[in-house]
């Protein structure tokens, strides 16, 4: 199949490209390189035998998208391109609405103009906001009340897809789509070639591993007075390869006119202290920690009820051991202590 991957040079997009190429697909990899990296694209292209075309383009460039979809006879889209830092979205909301919401409008306009009728969208558990404790583990039916501009852009993406698909159905052009609501994506390519390289880095596992590498002097624990067994927040960490595997399963199962939404998580949570302890064991390092105040907007416990995708598609996460998730990230960080700049 010919597949457009937007945000292809980012953390999750690059892992998706690798998997799609392995499965024999042809990939048009689009990224504006605002946050993505050229290096993983070059690495994958070098052995793709012409099946990977990298394009340094923005999803808001609708004419360029149309041209790309036509020229490469694209049949399906995996839409990862987005900005994804919650704190930054509070400070620069328009940047987020421009990239994440206007970007989706532009992409759907290009799909409309060229007849592309299948799309898988990276949504987020942040669309649920702070669900009531009784709804954790969180099912897809949990009310979606995001509490950050980032979460709202993802929810708007879901609404855009549903409304566009409805219009297409009325016009007799069924459009199939799926919104995949990610929990905490973590780890790195199990073959060690691809990893996570954000700057600045804010996510817990890479922050802890940066501290283990000496790239920072320690880890701040954001809140130790939560109503959880050890007082720190609990999150559902899903390995990036499992996440990509779910995208492949969903894309393969989409039938004309489908509109699906699935949570992607392992279905259990680990606390901040459990993550730090596991990272100390994996890295054989004493990672210094500082107990600090809560970070605004962090709910105590967030983990998925992943039963729906398991029931519908038979998909479940394979890497559910926290140590293995951290080991995969650690292998990449050790080989690339300065991220992709390390070569
Ligand atoms: N966290 C922390 N220190 C850090 C980064 C994160 O204590 O330096 C906590 C954060 O408060 C949350 C959990 O780790 O409870 C996961 O945070 P992350 O930013 O990785 O993902 P989020 O759950 O916000 O999407």
């Amino acid at each position: 199949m010919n597949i457009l991957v937007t945000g292809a040079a980012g953390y999750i997009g690059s892992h998706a490209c690798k998997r799609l190429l392995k499965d024999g697909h042809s990939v048009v990899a689009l990224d504006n390189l605002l946050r993505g990296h050229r290096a993983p694209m070059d690495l994958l292209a070098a052995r793709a035998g012409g099946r990977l075309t990298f394009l340094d383009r923005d999803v808001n460039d609708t004419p360029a998208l149309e041209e790309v979809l036509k020229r490469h006879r694209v049949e399906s889209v995996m839409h990862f391109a987005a900005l994804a830092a919650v704190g930054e979205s509070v400070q620069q909301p328009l940047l987020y609405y421009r990239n994440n919401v206007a970007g989706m409008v532009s992409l759907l306009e290009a799909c409309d103009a060229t007849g592309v009728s299948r799309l898988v969208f990276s949504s987020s558990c942040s669309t649920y906001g702070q669900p009531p404790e009784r709804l954790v583990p969180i099912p897809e039916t949990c009310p979606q009340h995001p509490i950050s501009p980032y979460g709202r852009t993802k929810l708007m993406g879901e609404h855009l897809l549903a409304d566009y698909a409805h219009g297409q159905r009325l016009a007799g052009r069924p459009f199939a789509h799926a919104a995949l609501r990610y929990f905490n994506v973590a780890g790195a390519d199990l073959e060690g070639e691809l990893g996570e390289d954000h700057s600045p880095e804010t996510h817990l596992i890479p922050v802890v591993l940066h501290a283990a590498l000496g790239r920072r002097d320690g880890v701040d624990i954001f809140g130790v007075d939560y109503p959880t067994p050890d007082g720190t927040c609990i999150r559902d960490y899903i390995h990036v390869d499992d996440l990509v595997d779910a995208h492949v399963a969903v894309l393969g199962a989409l039938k004309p006119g489908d509109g699906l939404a699935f949570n992607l998580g392992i279905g259990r949570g680990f606390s901040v202290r459990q993550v730090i302890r596991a990272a100390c064991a994996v890295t054989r390092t004493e990672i210094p920690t500082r107990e600090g105040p809560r970070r605004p907007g962090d709910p105590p416990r967030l983990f998925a009820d992943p039963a729906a995708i398991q029931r519908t598609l038979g998909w479940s996460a394979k890497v559910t051991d926290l140590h293995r998730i951290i080991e995969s990230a650690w292998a990449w960080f050790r080989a690339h202590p300065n991220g992709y700049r390390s070569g």
Side-chain angles (χ1 to χ4, degrees):
M1 205 191 304
N2 299 328
I3 302 175
L4 171 71
V5 177
T6 73
Y11 168 45
I12 302 170
S14 57
H15 285 77
C17 288
K18 179 171 178 177
R19 168 66 191 269
L20 293 172
L21 290 168
K22 259 196 184 163
D23 289 357
H25 298 293
S26 291
V27 174
V28 184
L30 189 110
D31 202 293
N32 62 7
L33 296 179
L34 188 65
R35 302 283 158 91
H37 302 276
R38 188 70 207 226
M41 297 290 93
D42 291 343
L43 184 142
L44 295 176
R47 56 159 190 258
R51 285 185 298 115
L52 179 86
T53 307
F54 175 71
L55 297 166
D56 177 357
R57 293 278 188 289
D58 195 289
V59 278
N60 274 298
D61 186 347
T62 320
L65 280 182
E66 276 183 32
E67 210 266 318
V68 165
L69 293 175
K70 256 188 271 177
R71 179 147 45 92
H72 294 273
R73 296 195 184 83
V74 168
E75 298 155 273
S76 298
V77 179
M78 283 193 185
H79 180 35
F80 299 99
L83 295 174
V86 173
E88 185 184 56
S89 80
V90 175
Q91 282 152 1
Q92 301 188 64
L94 295 182
L95 185 66
Y96 275 68
Y97 286 101
R98 163 63 59 195
N99 273 274
N100 300 3
V101 180
M104 176 69 100
V105 173
S106 167
L107 180 58
L108 291 178
E109 283 171 343
C111 288
D112 192 25
T114 56
V116 174
S117 61
R118 286 146 65 93
L119 188 148
V120 178
F121 170 52
S122 334
S123 188
S124 167
C125 69
S126 64
T127 58
Y128 296 120
Q130 298 197 334
E133 274 290 309
R134 66 186 163 78
L135 289 180
V136 182
I138 302 170
E140 287 80 358
T141 49
C142 178
Q144 290 174 290
H145 298 302
I147 57 164
S148 69
Y150 168 68
R152 280 188 280 277
T153 65
K154 288 291 172 182
L155 183 56
M156 285 178 197
E158 292 197 15
H159 287 321
L160 275 168
L161 274 175
D163 286 342
Y164 172 71
H166 183 67
Q168 293 295 98
R169 190 157 52 244
L170 294 178
R173 293 191 296 264
F175 178 81
H177 62 99
L180 302 183
R181 299 177 188 151
Y182 308 169
F183 282 68
N184 290 58
V185 189
D189 174 25
L190 292 170
E191 294 172 354
E193 290 184 322
L194 306 172
E196 185 168 13
D197 183 358
H198 299 120
S199 69
E201 186 52 79
T202 60
H203 292 114
L204 181 64
I205 290 178
V207 161
V208 172
L209 296 179
H210 285 181
L213 278 172
R215 276 177 67 175
R216 52 186 300 147
D217 61 8
V219 179
D220 293 307
I221 301 179
F222 298 150
V224 292
D225 59 348
Y226 283 97
T228 58
D230 68 16
T232 65
C233 288
I234 292 176
R235 295 290 180 272
D236 183 336
Y237 296 90
I238 174 172
H239 192 275
V240 62
D241 283 349
D242 275 333
L243 185 97
V244 165
D245 192 51
H247 285 66
V248 169
V250 168
L251 187 62
L254 271 182
K255 292 187 295 300
D258 274 350
L260 309 176
F262 291 122
N263 286 336
L264 296 185
I266 69 169
R268 64 179 283 221
F270 296 98
S271 73
V272 173
R273 287 197 207 278
Q274 283 177 307
V275 169
I276 295 172
R277 215 175 301 125
C280 288
V282 166
T283 62
R284 298 198 175 90
T285 310
E286 264 315 308
I287 300 166
T289 58
R290 281 177 300 263
E291 295 184 356
R294 293 182 177 196
R295 187 173 67 176
D298 273 342
R301 294 191 320 140
L302 284 181
F303 55 95
D305 174 353
I309 186 164
Q310 193 165 0
R311 200 173 49 241
T312 315
L313 302 180
W315 178 90
S316 59
K318 294 187 191 75
V319 187
T320 54
D321 175 44
L322 181 62
H323 286 79
R324 259 191 90 202
I325 293 178
I326 294 175
E327 265 162 25
S328 68
W330 181 235
W332 192 78
F333 278 125
R334 254 190 325 180
H336 303 80
N338 293 306
Y340 282 112
R341 272 172 303 139
S342 315

